[in-house]
Amino acid sequence: MARLIEPLALLASGQPLGRVESEELLVAAAIRHGMQGLLWRQVDEGNVSLSRNTVRQVAAEFMRVRHRNLTIWETLGRVSSMLTRRKIRFLVLKGIANEARWYEQVGDRPTSDLDIWVSPEDKWRFGEIVRGVSPGHPLGHSVQGLVDAGHLQSVDLVSESGILIDLHADPFNFGLRARTAPTMWATQEEVTSPLGGTVPVLSATSSLVHSLVHLNQDGLGSLVGFADVCRIIKDERIDPDAAISMLQEEGLLAHGMNTLNAVADVLNIRTGFDPSSYETRWWRAVWPRRSFFHRGKKSRRRVSAYAMRIRSRRRQGEALL
């Protein structure tokens, strides 16, 4: 796998791939890291030469991802229509929202599910949304009480087309209430759907913060998250000071900056952020293994993420909520 790091990094950063030593290993690694669409772009633009059979395999993977992403957009259209009729406000997070703004075409970035964040002002209608999107859901009549009490921040739904919908009452879904939620909501933007119309999404700065935190939570396990950050960071609308302020407010400055440094190191890119001026160095010195969330099972990562935010906020002398 070590000899694949360089070509995978080139894929993630959008640089020409050049000569490939092992086509089979490269394709398998690209699929594993969610970059089959980026590999196809390299093939289509003539930046890499592969055998005919390998080209067919990569093309098939690209078309599979494209079809799924378009299905997710169709699902979003139906859910959006339902929410609009009921005058419920929402944002689309991650996945197709990132692809639509920072990738060249549908299919460049695979998406596993549809992440929707319900407006903080409409959170009291969370149960109504669950029942509307997924009638008969086992939590349909109890989820509102759990959300109101702060015991539940998201719920998984399944659309009629089989697409998983992750419905969020909180943008980070870490257990603690997101302090920056009002800022994220107030600075929202719109993106054009490939099927027509527009949908609300996070601002570029909020998307960077959101992507860094979730890449950290996922243990830096997939390079598609690196590719997201690499592309978002190049957006001229990014406000570094605002991003730092948001991470500080969440108590996750060291985690966010260490994640950004990891992306810069692996992809060999410049981020425009000066890591020497932040908390990353002393955090690594005092807690060398605590700059990233636990890399175990997802449920354990959530517990560790919760503890990380408590520790970080205490270090800043802040109240927890």
Side-chain angles (χ1 to χ4, degrees):
M1 181 61 71
R3 62 178 175 172
L4 289 174
I5 293 177
E6 183 176 353
L8 289 175
L10 292 174
L11 276 180
S13 60
Q15 301 178 58
L17 196 55
R19 190 174 65 88
V20 175
E21 292 186 13
S22 173
E23 294 184 3
E24 182 179 355
L25 290 178
L26 175 64
V27 172
I31 294 172
R32 159 69 179 80
H33 285 275
M35 294 192 296
Q36 55 267 61
L38 296 179
L39 179 56
W40 169 249
R41 176 157 296 283
Q42 295 262 0
V43 174
D44 191 43
E45 294 177 351
N47 293 327
V48 61
S49 178
L50 302 176
S51 67
R52 180 174 299 180
N53 288 339
T54 302
V55 169
R56 289 175 178 172
Q57 181 185 1
V58 175
E61 280 294 325
F62 167 74
M63 293 305 299
R64 180 185 65 80
V65 171
R66 179 179 173 84
H67 178 267
R68 179 170 181 82
N69 286 4
L70 287 173
T71 303
I72 293 176
W73 278 108
E74 292 172 355
T75 300
L76 174 60
R78 291 191 291 270
V79 174
S80 175
S81 296
M82 185 271 287
L83 296 177
T84 301
R85 287 195 304 269
R86 302 187 185 204
K87 298 182 179 180
I88 298 174
R89 291 157 293 181
F90 69 95
L91 290 179
V92 180
L93 304 171
K94 304 187 294 183
I96 56 173
N98 285 354
E99 183 188 58
R101 286 182 288 178
W102 294 297
Y103 292 79
E104 295 190 34
Q105 63 180 345
V106 179
D108 280 355
R109 183 200 188 282
T111 300
S112 59
D113 57 10
L114 173 60
D115 289 270
I116 294 177
W117 174 29
V118 179
S119 163
E121 295 182 0
D122 291 328
K123 192 166 62 174
W124 62 276
R125 302 178 67 181
F126 202 87
E128 176 187 344
I129 301 171
V130 171
R131 294 189 295 274
V133 174
S134 183
H137 192 282
L139 292 179
H141 296 285
S142 60
V143 67
Q144 190 63 60
L146 295 171
V147 169
D148 291 343
H151 298 316
L152 188 68
Q153 292 187 327
S154 72
V155 63
D156 290 336
L157 310 174
V158 180
S159 71
E160 296 178 354
S161 57
I163 296 299
L164 180 66
I165 301 173
D166 194 355
L167 190 66
H168 293 256
D170 183 276
F172 290 121
N173 190 26
F174 273 180
L176 293 176
R177 174 179 56 84
R179 290 172 165 178
T180 56
T183 300
M184 288 185 164
W185 188 265
T187 57
Q188 64 180 269
E189 302 172 354
E190 288 190 337
V191 67
T192 301
S193 165
L195 303 180
T198 60
V199 295
V201 295
L202 293 175
S203 70
T205 299
S206 295
S207 293
L208 175 61
V209 172
H210 195 262
S211 295
L212 288 174
V213 171
H214 278 279
L215 179 57
N216 191 311
Q217 182 197 15
D218 292 337
L220 309 180
S222 176
L223 282 175
V224 70
F226 286 61
D228 281 350
V229 172
C230 177
R231 284 156 178 75
I232 296 172
I233 204 73
K234 296 176 182 177
D235 195 310
E236 294 180 353
R237 297 168 297 174
I238 294 290
D239 184 341
D241 292 336
I244 292 166
S245 177
M246 292 173 71
L247 287 168
Q248 284 178 323
E249 190 172 355
E250 291 295 346
L252 293 173
L253 178 59
H255 303 81
M257 288 298 100
N258 279 333
T259 302
L260 186 57
N261 292 342
V263 172
D265 289 344
V266 171
L267 303 188
N268 191 28
I269 61 172
R270 297 179 64 86
T271 65
F273 287 74
D274 179 11
S276 64
S277 60
Y278 307 129
E279 300 171 0
T280 56
R281 290 187 177 180
W282 63 258
W283 187 283
R284 283 179 173 176
V286 178
W287 299 292
R289 297 186 179 181
R290 297 295 184 182
S291 293
F292 299 97
F293 297 146
H294 194 276
R295 301 190 183 191
K297 294 182 179 179
K298 189 171 184 180
S299 60
R300 295 180 65 186
R301 287 204 304 268
R302 290 193 182 279
V303 172
S304 180
Y306 188 94
M308 285 291 117
R309 295 179 76 188
I310 290 177
R311 180 183 291 113
S312 298
R313 291 181 179 183
R314 283 177 175 170
R315 293 297 169 187
Q316 297 173 18
E318 302 170 346
L320 292 182
L321 297 175

